[in-house]
Amino acid sequence: MIHIIIGIDHGYYAIKTAHACFPTGLVAYEYEPYTLQNVLQYAGKYYVCGTGRQTLVKDKTVNDNYYLLTMAAVAQELKHRKAKKCVEVVLAAGLPLAGFGREKKNFREYLFRREQPLRFLFEGETYEVLVRDVKLFPQGYSALALYPEHLTGEPSVLLADIGGWTVDLMRLDNAIPNASTCRSLELGVIRCIDEIMEQVRRNTGLSVTDMQVERVLNGSPCSLDKEAQEIIKRHGRLYAERILSAIAEAGFDLKAVPSVFMGGGSAIMKRHVTPQDGLCRSVFITDVHANAAGYERIVGQMTEP
């Protein structure tokens, strides 16, 4: 039977597929909530997906939250593709290269459970999903499957994947990851946003939301107080400076080696990295779906006759 390949990027800040993106928040209810929008029904409980942000857990397998969010992601992706709701799928997901070998077995078992097929409701519609396999790949590097031109002709390139909690670094030599160069820095966008929210509260007394901060950081229009906006923009630049400094401290010379910034924080870097920073050459992949789409591309190539 023909199966559907669904790539999922299980971020700390957001869950991404090739066409969907929603916050990792998950709220459980014993009874049906007032609306079924973004509601997953599974094992007799209701879960509102994408509401707020869940408590940070470095090990994503310690509870069922990411498993439940995976169901919601599969449903949203199938809906976007106008696919049948009774399907066989291959899940393609990723892990940071720095801990890939250590975490791969546990995360695959976490996603590929014996309970088959998965039966659940999402937004009131019934799904029956048979997971045929789970393929795992290094995140960040997999996204470059969509952008091979960024590696062409370059003997060495630094990849900086700026996610919700970590900034994952790796150097690629002749388009191949150099495992000894992998670093993971706890300087992700969540840290940036939380610190900005606190600075705005201290200076203006306003309790802004993370969505407002994110909007201003990305340069989108917002009716937020002008003083608050200036604080957010100023700290956006300070965040970019901190990341560049941390990359240098990790042993990478951005004035010598071209860099590819990707992940949720790449849009912040793109807005705040200037020619005065003197970087050799910088490329910004701001598509938040790039990892998920990259996973799908690789699995598709693996299954081609």
Side-chain angles (χ1 to χ4, degrees):
M1 180 184 292
I2 297 176
H3 55 251
I4 296 176
I5 302 168
I6 297 181
I8 304 177
D9 183 355
H10 297 84
Y12 287 112
Y13 189 72
I15 302 291
K16 288 87 65 179
T17 67
H19 301 98
C21 178
F22 58 94
T24 55
L26 190 74
V27 180
Y29 291 87
E30 293 290 338
Y31 303 100
E32 183 177 328
Y34 71 95
T35 176
L36 288 180
Q37 184 176 0
N38 298 323
V39 171
L40 171 74
Q41 294 173 247
Y42 176 71
K45 288 190 176 181
Y46 298 84
Y47 301 90
V48 179
C49 304
T51 300
R53 187 202 306 167
Q54 65 175 291
T55 303
L56 176 73
V57 288
K58 294 185 179 181
D59 181 358
K60 297 173 183 176
T61 67
V62 296
N63 56 43
D64 281 338
N65 287 3
Y66 276 94
Y67 188 61
L68 297 166
L69 291 166
T70 295
M71 295 185 213
V74 168
Q76 291 198 29
E77 186 64 19
L78 291 175
K79 183 177 180 179
H80 185 277
R81 299 188 195 186
K82 296 181 172 58
K84 294 180 179 179
K85 295 176 179 60
C86 181
V87 293
E88 296 186 7
V89 305
V90 170
L91 296 182
L95 292 165
L97 191 57
F100 186 78
R102 181 180 68 253
E103 300 173 14
K104 181 179 179 181
K105 180 176 181 293
N106 283 347
F107 197 53
R108 184 175 186 274
E109 290 176 352
Y110 176 79
L111 295 176
F112 197 14
R113 303 191 186 185
R114 293 182 179 179
E115 177 203 356
Q116 295 284 350
L118 274 174
R119 295 185 176 91
F120 59 90
L121 278 76
F122 187 75
E123 296 187 335
E125 298 191 35
T126 302
Y127 289 82
E128 184 174 303
V129 178
L130 178 62
V131 179
R132 278 293 181 193
D133 201 358
V134 173
K135 302 288 188 182
L136 296 178
F137 305 96
Q139 62 192 46
Y141 175 63
S142 300
L144 289 177
L146 304 176
Y147 304 94
E149 65 273 13
H150 296 326
L151 302 176
T152 303
E154 293 289 355
S156 295
V157 172
L158 173 68
L159 177 63
D161 187 355
I162 307 173
W165 187 247
T166 59
V167 177
D168 295 312
L169 307 172
M170 74 177 85
R171 195 182 74 223
L172 292 91
D173 297 326
N174 295 320
I176 299 172
N178 183 331
S180 66
T181 67
C182 292
R183 303 287 186 275
S184 188
L185 314 174
E186 292 190 351
L187 281 174
V189 179
I190 292 173
R191 291 275 300 274
C192 170
I193 291 176
D194 286 348
E195 290 173 8
I196 288 175
M197 290 168 67
E198 177 61 18
Q199 287 299 321
V200 171
R201 189 191 64 77
R202 287 181 182 178
N203 288 274
T204 68
L206 297 173
S207 297
V208 297
T209 68
D210 52 356
M211 299 303 293
Q212 288 175 305
V213 173
E214 184 179 353
R215 191 171 181 84
V216 174
L217 285 174
N218 291 333
S220 302
C222 183
S223 60
L224 188 61
D225 175 81
K226 296 298 181 186
E227 182 183 357
Q229 290 199 42
E230 288 305 314
I231 293 171
I232 294 170
K233 291 173 184 177
R234 183 167 67 251
H235 280 272
R237 170 60 192 177
L238 291 174
Y239 175 64
E241 291 175 354
R242 194 193 310 181
I243 287 182
L244 295 179
S245 177
I247 290 174
E249 290 172 6
F252 300 98
D253 190 342
L254 292 175
K255 296 185 178 182
V257 179
S259 53
V260 177
F261 293 96
M262 64 165 295
S266 61
I268 300 173
M269 297 298 291
K270 185 176 183 179
R271 283 185 57 80
H272 294 97
V273 170
T274 66
Q276 287 70 37
D277 292 307
L279 305 192
C280 174
R281 179 175 70 89
S282 298
V283 174
F284 301 91
I285 301 175
T286 58
D287 179 9
V288 297
H289 307 280
N291 267 322
Y295 303 149
E296 290 185 7
R297 171 74 65 87
I298 296 172
V299 174
Q301 292 172 343
M302 291 168 58
T303 56
E304 286 177 356

